[in-house]
Amino acid sequence: MTLTSTMAPPVGESDRELVLLAREGDQEALSTLTTRHRRSAYLLALQLMGNPDDALDATQDALIRFCVHLNRFDAERPLKPWLYSIVRNRCRDLLRRRRVRRTEPIDSDDERWRPEIVDESADPHGDLERSRLRTRVWSALGQLRPDHREILVLRDYQDLSYSQISDLLGIPQGTVMSRLHRARKQLASQLAPPSAGATYT
Amino acid sequence: MTDTNPCQRAFDEELLSGYIDGELSQGERQRIEVHLAECASCRTLQESMRAVRDAARSTAFAVPTDEQWRETARTLPGRWSRQLGWLFVILCAAAGAGILLWEAAASPEPWWVKVTVFGVLGGVGLLFASVLMDRLHDRRHDRYRRVHK
């Protein structure tokens, strides 16, 4: 594995050009398109599932669906939200299947969540306290309800706007804000030391 | 949810998140800023949420190497063929059961043989249908159901 942050700038031809070429059967364009976006798709899957193995499987499945359904995609629209919706739905399917198999309640803690995948040494300035906070936030994220975890991932890890989240989840922007606020309060409450008395939930 | 923020009536508290994310109108933003200047409780909540957001945004994760991507791609045909295999098994079993029922109904076998055949196949069919209905119910009532493909 190599270390990276969430966002990466696209290079070369535009997504629109690649989509149009891929639809005409250009395999190289399709390969470039998937290679360009697989990283961000993987990071979203990882943040939703909390486990590199599951995230890799979900991403591969999502990329296949992405290629299969490329003809349905409107090339004039941005590609990333569409890919994200496929990844999100694939992750949701896998999580739901796992819960059905294990007969777990939908709000249970996820035992496959792995806090160690956050790299504490990634801070070049060696700010140990901030690094620890990052790891604690990530660990606490795994304890949240799936819908709270999802909205925090989309806003705080993926840096999507309320409008983009609203389109992706099919909910009004006001609901995005209220759900996000509840999720943040729950997370802040979990991170607060017991003696601080800062219980928000 | 039990809210211990004593200022919850001063303004709609969820606007704090909108404020942190820069998603408010100018008027709302000014209202929040005026309130934050005089309310330590809301200021503390806002700062803790902002710290969480900043920590999340600066988190680094490991991503797969090119070799790991290739390795995962190599396992895909096996996974897909397994799913296709199950689909064929179910379809063939359903077709075989249908033929067997048809034959049993038309055959001159004693009544207890027919009852046994109908009982076993009918039971298996009902079990399969119940699992299928559970899955469909789960899919219909899933709160993350919307698919944008």
Side-chain angles (χ1 to χ4, degrees), chain A residues 63-80:
Chain A
L63 288 174
I64 288 172
R65 282 168 168 75
F66 168 80
C67 296
V68 169
H69 298 293
L70 198 57
N71 283 330
R72 295 186 197 173
F73 175 63
D74 179 1
E76 303 303 322
R77 301 184 66 181
L79 186 139
K80 209 166 186 177

Side-chain angles (χ1 to χ4, degrees), chain A residues 12-39:
Chain A
E13 293 175 272
S14 71
D15 286 345
R16 181 182 169 279
E17 289 168 330
L18 289 172
V19 167
L20 294 176
L21 286 170
R23 280 180 179 170
E24 292 170 4
D26 187 332
Q27 290 300 312
E28 196 176 336
L30 189 61
S31 175
T32 305
L33 205 56
T34 53
T35 304
R36 176 184 294 178
H37 290 287
R38 70 185 183 188
R39 183 172 154 277

Side-chain angles (χ1 to χ4, degrees), chain A residues 1-4 38 42-43 46-47 56-57 59-61 64-65 72 82 85 88-89 92 96 100 106-107 118-119 122 133-134 138 145-147 150 155-157 159 161-162 167-170 177-178 180-182 184-185 187-188 191 199-201, chain B residues 1-5 13-24 41 44-45 48-49 51-66 68-70 72-73 75-76 79-80 83 135 138-139 142-149:
Chain A
M1 295 269 180
T2 53
L3 281 172
T4 182
R38 70 185 183 188
Y42 170 82
L43 285 169
L46 179 69
Q47 289 155 3
L56 201 53
D57 285 347
T59 308
Q60 286 285 12
D61 286 350
I64 288 172
R65 282 168 168 75
R72 295 186 197 173
W82 185 62
S85 68
R88 167 189 172 259
N89 283 312
R92 181 207 60 190
R96 186 179 56 206
V100 168
I106 197 162
D107 291 338
V118 174
D119 181 61
L133 179 60
R134 282 193 281 266
W138 175 253
R145 292 167 30 169
D147 57 340
E150 179 178 66
R155 176 58 210 167
D156 289 348
Y157 283 89
D159 204 24
S161 68
Y162 285 11
D167 288 344
L168 190 64
L169 302 186
M177 185 159 66
S178 57
L180 182 62
H181 187 68
R182 285 197 300 272
R184 279 177 172 160
K185 280 182 75 174
L187 195 64
L191 291 169
T199 303
Y200 302 116
T201 57
Chain B
M1 182 183 293
T2 305
D3 199 328
T4 58
N5 181 3
E13 193 192 88
E14 65 199 28
L15 290 179
L16 273 179
S17 276
Y19 173 73
I20 291 168
D21 294 322
E23 295 271 356
L24 300 185
S41 173
T44 303
L45 175 59
S48 67
M49 291 195 297
V52 166
R53 187 199 64 161
D54 291 346
R57 291 176 77 165
S58 60
T59 301
F61 296 94
V63 294
T65 60
D66 287 346
Q68 284 173 302
W69 282 111
R70 281 192 291 272
T72 308
T75 67
L76 279 174
R79 281 161 47 202
W80 281 61
Q83 287 186 5
R135 289 289 174 93
D138 189 41
R139 189 172 289 273
D142 191 335
R143 47 184 161 171
Y144 311 123
R145 187 161 61 90
R146 288 173 183 274
V147 179
H148 304 268
K149 284 181 180 172

